Amino acid sequence: MSVPRRRRRLPDEVRSAAVRAVLSLAFTLVGVVVATLASYAGSWLMTPALLAMGVGVFGTMWCLLEILISRQVAAQRQRGPNSASPMAGSRVAPEPLAARPFPRPGATPPQHQPQHRPPQPHRPPQPHPPQQPYPPQQPYQRRMPPGRQYGS
C-alpha cells in the first residue's frame, strides 16, 4: 500500500488571496439572495442589493486574478534565479559531466537514446582542408562624402 503524498502548504500571499476571494464570493452570494428576495417582495432594497452584487462580482473576479498572479510569483520565487526548469526543485540533480563515463565502442547505448534508429552506412573520415591564415585587414577608414576633408 502506498503512502499518500503530503500536500505542501500554500505560500502566505496565495493563502491570503484565496481567503479574500472566498469572502468576496460569500458577500456576492449574500447580495444575490437579498436582491432576489427584495425583488419578490417589491422592496426598495433591490436597487442597493443589485449594486452590491455587481461590485461583488467585479471584486470576486479581481480576487481570482490576484490568486493566479500570486501563485505565479510564489512559484518564481521558489525556483530562484537562473533555474533550468519550473520543476527544478522536484527532481534529483543529474550527476556532473565529469562523473559520467565516456561512451565506448561496442558498449550498449544509454537508455535515453532511442533504440529504433536505422543503421548508418560507414563513411571513412574525410581529411580537413588546410586552414588558411586570416587575410590581413586594412585599417578602418572613415568614408566622407565627396568634396569634404577630414577635420573640416
Side-chain angles (χ1 to χ4, degrees), residues 22-40 45-57 60:
V22 168
L23 288 175
S24 178
L25 180 65
F27 287 130
T28 304
L29 291 177
V30 167
V32 168
V33 170
V34 169
T36 304
L37 294 176
S39 70
Y40 289 154
L45 284 176
M46 188 175 88
T47 303
L50 284 175
L51 287 173
M53 185 182 65
V55 170
V57 167
T60 302

Side-chain angles (χ1 to χ4, degrees), residues 24-134:
S24 178
L25 180 65
F27 287 130
T28 304
L29 291 177
V30 167
V32 168
V33 170
V34 169
T36 304
L37 294 176
S39 70
Y40 289 154
S43 173
W44 61 272
L45 284 176
M46 188 175 88
T47 303
L50 284 175
L51 287 173
M53 185 182 65
V55 170
V57 167
F58 177 76
T60 302
M61 289 301 129
W62 185 277
C63 290
L64 291 176
L65 185 63
E66 182 187 9
I67 290 173
L68 291 176
I69 292 172
S70 61
R71 284 187 66 184
Q72 290 295 321
V73 168
Q76 286 178 352
R77 189 177 296 131
Q78 184 179 11
R79 282 187 297 224
N82 301 326
S83 179
S85 70
M87 303 297 285
S90 66
R91 296 187 185 132
V92 177
E95 48 184 307
L97 291 176
R100 295 182 190 167
F102 285 114
R104 300 185 185 223
T108 58
Q111 295 297 329
H112 65 275
Q113 291 182 352
Q115 301 290 331
H116 56 80
R117 285 191 206 172
Q120 298 291 325
H122 177 70
R123 287 188 230 142
Q126 299 292 326
H128 292 289
Q131 292 186 354
Q132 299 294 325
Y134 289 112

Side-chain angles (χ1 to χ4, degrees), residues 10-19 66-67 69-72 74:
L10 288 174
D12 289 339
E13 62 268 11
V14 179
R15 280 191 300 119
S16 61
V19 168
E66 182 187 9
I67 290 173
I69 292 172
S70 61
R71 284 187 66 184
Q72 290 295 321

